[in-house]
Amino acid sequence: MSQQQTNNQVTKQIQIFDTTLRDGEQSPGASIDPERKIVIARQLAKLGIDVIEPGFALSSPGEFAAVQQISRELQNVEIAGFARMMKVDIDAAIKATRDAARRRLHVFISSSDIHLQHQLRKTRAEVLKQTKEMIAYGKQFVNEIEFSAMDSTRSDRDFVIELVETAIAEGATIINLPDTLGYALPDEIEELFRTVRTQARGGQSVRYSAHNHNDLGLAAANSLAAIRGGATQIEVTVNGVGERAGNCSLEELAMIIETRKSALNLETNINQREIYETSRMVSRAMHYPIAFNKPIVGRNAFQHESGIHQDGLLKNRNTYEIMDPEAMGISRSMIILGRHSGRHAIKHRLSEYGIEVADAELTEVYDRFKALCDVKKIVTDDELIRIAGETTATQPDPYMLVDLQVLAGSHKSRIATVTVKDSAAGEECSYSGMGEGPLEAVIHCIQQAIPVAAEFEDLELHSVSTGEDAHGEAVVTIINKGERFRGTSIHKDIIFAAAQAYVAACNQAIMTGKKQDDGAEEEAEVV
């Protein structure tokens, strides 16, 4: 454990152990193919993770190969080989991680009576014997051994201490006391770690780790409590994925420590700028959508609809934000335009696209905006731009999707025809394209019409109503010149909604680029 002196206070370094690729993958339906595991592991290393647990090597040949490749490639990260207290597991873990520059063996066994009686069908004496034998066996191959007493928060305290003493005596160097069911309260976690650390023989000679599940929504709080009790490593997953309600969320813990650093006197090696990219990568790989209100990385985490909040943010970001989203790689879209938004927010949003409206025009834009809010809760940027264009007798939208036709079938490629209006030229042109799916065919058409080298990065589809007349909301994210732009559209036809959202995102990229170019020209003239 490294420590440094800061402002006369000792700052404790917390090691981050990521188990997204092992425990996180145990989420129902969240399996990741071996190739993508390697890509995610590279991103985790870029994020600054100290220890990566890349999987359960014994589970399949593909899993073994992924663990092996990650161990060979990521030489600057410690790799944890996961194993049950069985020789066959330990052998597989040791073999798969053989080429790692730094590695550890992570072995576990249950410690609670309910697990022993109904799952393992073993006595306490048998569990102690197995722990003693298997840790001694693993110690032949590696110096670092992490021992986990599964379900320790629901276990008899004296037995946990006895089990930990056995593990330490045979060479365990890291003791993990998991809250496997997310059952414990913060004060109970703190007391557990402090008691085991101070009362177990050899307890002061090893490091301690916390692995907390989130069944009661306390995983992050319990992780901080474990640190107060003596833990110097926290086990996390990206987006908090994992069995049932998941594990302690990496991004939540990292940003709690960063945001409240002066109060906690803690720090990690996490690179904030890679948080959002890592979150999106894992979400896409696991096909696990991120909840809108998910702290740090959720869609609404840095967005505000209230007029009072919007006004405060426009004057000073610190009025209603405690973190800087851009520092985490999140593009700034802090204001959502809805029925609670005020004139100030609308004028500001239009100005971001180079659209200036006089006070009289703003009143009309605002009235039409409010009328649309009665129909739709949220007004997208492209809809606001369209309102401004109609009010000021201009057409700010560089491109408009006029019509869309798709021919789909069960065996052949999809064929699409799209008609797009070029506002500057005042012309409508039609384009045809093909793709494996209807949306891919449509995007290929639009890319012919709009000369913006925009990469289609992400698509979110959400139902906003029910029944036969249900509408779908499409949110499309594109990347243009390294910057992200997001377009939104709502329509009964989800393909049309996605296409419209893509056009809206491209329009934002074009208009933002034009405003930046105009500003650069004005600055050059002044100089």
Side-chain angles (χ1 to χ4, degrees):
M1 180 186 70
S2 63
Q3 295 180 336
Q4 67 180 39
Q5 200 77 16
T6 305
N7 297 327
N8 298 321
Q9 292 182 317
V10 176
T11 300
K12 181 190 293 185
Q13 183 77 27
I14 300 301
Q15 189 171 55
I16 301 298
F17 176 117
D18 185 89
T19 184
T20 302
L21 301 177
R22 198 277 299 172
D23 199 341
E25 196 194 15
Q26 292 175 196
S27 300
S31 179
I32 309 173
D33 62 70
E35 291 76 17
R36 288 198 178 182
K37 275 200 168 191
I38 295 167
V39 173
I40 292 173
R42 292 176 187 141
Q43 179 61 28
L44 291 172
K46 195 175 179 182
L47 178 64
I49 295 299
D50 299 292
V51 186
I52 295 176
E53 188 169 59
F56 184 24
L58 187 70
S59 63
S60 73
E63 185 84 344
F64 181 94
V67 174
Q68 188 175 58
Q69 178 62 30
I70 291 167
S71 299
R72 288 173 176 170
E73 184 175 328
L74 302 182
Q75 295 290 295
N76 295 323
V77 182
E78 186 175 354
I79 304 297
F82 184 72
R84 294 168 296 182
M85 286 288 189
M86 301 170 64
K87 282 188 177 181
V88 64
D89 282 36
I90 294 172
D91 289 342
I94 294 298
K95 187 176 180 181
T97 60
R98 179 179 297 159
D99 298 324
R102 291 181 294 123
R103 64 171 174 167
R104 72 174 63 164
L105 175 65
H106 181 194
V107 290
F108 75 97
I109 197 165
S110 291
S111 58
S112 68
D113 288 334
I114 191 168
H115 278 203
L116 268 59
Q117 293 169 15
H118 301 287
Q119 181 183 14
L120 296 183
R121 307 290 176 87
K122 292 180 181 292
T123 64
R124 291 184 178 183
E126 289 173 324
V127 167
L128 288 167
K129 181 175 182 291
Q130 188 174 357
T131 299
K132 177 183 175 67
E133 292 174 349
M134 290 301 99
I135 291 182
Y137 178 72
K139 195 68 174 179
Q140 300 175 80
F141 309 105
V142 293
N143 292 322
E144 290 280 11
I145 294 184
E146 177 173 338
F147 167 69
S148 291
M150 189 164 68
D151 202 23
S152 59
T153 56
R154 297 195 304 164
S155 303
D156 175 74
R157 188 62 44 82
D158 291 338
F159 181 62
V160 170
I161 291 173
E162 187 177 4
L163 196 55
V164 167
E165 288 177 340
T166 301
I168 294 172
E170 297 304 323
T173 54
I174 303 161
I175 301 299
N176 181 29
L177 303 175
D179 187 22
T180 308
L181 276 296
Y183 176 75
L185 299 175
D187 60 333
E188 295 170 341
I189 288 279
E190 182 178 352
E191 190 270 337
L192 170 65
F193 274 83
R194 182 171 287 110
T195 298
V196 172
R197 187 168 59 86
T198 57
Q199 294 186 15
R201 286 190 300 273
Q204 302 280 13
S205 65
V206 296
R207 292 180 286 154
Y208 287 83
S209 180
H211 179 110
N212 294 309
H213 279 257
N214 203 37
D215 296 69
L216 295 176
L218 292 170
N222 282 343
S223 296
L224 294 176
I227 293 171
R228 291 195 298 272
T232 57
Q233 175 182 280
I234 304 296
E235 305 186 7
V236 299
T237 59
V238 177
N239 299 332
V241 295
E243 291 188 280
R244 303 180 314 279
N247 293 263
C248 178
S249 165
L250 184 155
E251 58 278 2
E252 290 177 25
L253 181 72
M255 291 313 298
I256 289 171
I257 291 175
E258 176 62 29
T259 305
R260 301 307 309 276
K261 184 182 294 185
S262 60
L264 296 170
N265 297 321
L266 305 173
E267 64 181 8
T268 71
N269 289 323
I270 295 299
N271 178 3
Q272 284 185 63
R273 288 211 163 271
E274 298 298 330
I275 286 177
Y276 189 58
E277 179 61 32
T278 309
S279 169
R280 291 173 66 83
M281 181 182 290
V282 170
S283 175
R284 290 195 297 267
M286 289 186 169
H287 304 291
Y288 250 50
I290 300 170
F292 284 3
N293 64 336
K294 173 77 168 66
I296 316 301
V297 293
R299 180 173 161 187
N300 293 348
F302 296 98
Q303 294 184 340
H304 309 264
E305 185 184 340
S306 164
I308 294 173
H309 286 215
Q310 291 175 353
D311 184 63
L313 282 164
L314 293 172
K315 291 173 179 173
N316 187 313
R317 182 184 65 81
N318 292 324
T319 53
Y320 288 100
E321 284 185 356
I322 59 171
M323 294 170 280
D324 180 4
E326 292 175 311
M328 292 175 276
I330 303 172
S331 58
R332 180 167 288 285
S333 53
M334 65 182 182
I335 292 178
I336 290 292
L337 299 178
R339 66 182 61 187
H340 303 296
S341 299
R343 287 177 171 82
H344 190 189
I346 292 172
K347 186 173 183 178
H348 174 79
R349 179 59 58 86
L350 289 172
S351 71
E352 289 183 327
Y353 295 108
I355 302 171
E356 302 297 335
V357 293
D359 290 342
E361 293 172 331
L362 179 60
T363 298
E364 185 175 350
V365 169
Y366 184 71
D367 289 343
R368 295 183 63 175
F369 164 81
K370 295 291 280 188
L372 185 58
C373 286
D374 288 335
V375 180
K376 299 173 62 178
K377 176 173 171 56
I378 293 174
V379 176
T380 62
D381 284 3
D382 56 303
E383 289 169 331
L384 178 64
I385 291 169
R386 197 163 296 122
I387 290 173
E390 293 168 355
T391 303
T392 59
T394 61
Q395 184 46 264
D397 265 346
Y399 294 92
M400 294 181 63
L401 180 63
V402 177
D403 190 34
L404 179 157
Q405 299 290 331
V406 181
L407 179 62
S410 58
H411 300 293
K412 299 180 180 179
S413 295
R414 279 57 172 168
I415 301 172
T417 302
V418 166
T419 301
V420 175
K421 180 179 179 180
D422 183 336
S423 299
E427 297 177 348
E428 292 183 6
C429 295
S430 296
Y431 304 86
S432 296
M434 298 176 62
E436 292 186 11
L439 181 57
E440 183 181 18
V442 169
I443 296 303
H444 286 167
C445 295
I446 296 172
Q447 287 173 337
Q448 298 174 54
I450 302 177
V452 171
E455 175 190 345
F456 189 107
E457 184 194 35
D458 197 28
L459 167 66
E460 299 174 30
L461 287 173
H462 310 281
S463 176
V464 292
S465 56
T466 58
E468 294 181 358
D469 63 342
H471 286 65
E473 178 192 34
V475 182
V476 170
T477 304
I478 66 170
I479 298 177
N480 184 53
K481 296 180 180 179
E483 189 173 353
R484 283 188 173 88
F485 298 90
R486 177 181 287 174
T488 305
S489 180
I490 297 175
H491 200 275
K492 285 186 178 181
D493 184 331
I494 58 173
I495 300 299
F496 191 87
Q500 214 166 35
Y502 179 70
V503 172
C506 289
N507 282 335
Q508 290 180 31
I510 293 168
M511 295 172 73
T512 301
K514 183 178 183 301
K515 184 185 178 187
Q516 290 172 348
D517 292 342
D518 291 344
E521 288 177 8
E522 290 177 6
E523 185 176 336
E525 289 175 4
V526 171
V527 174

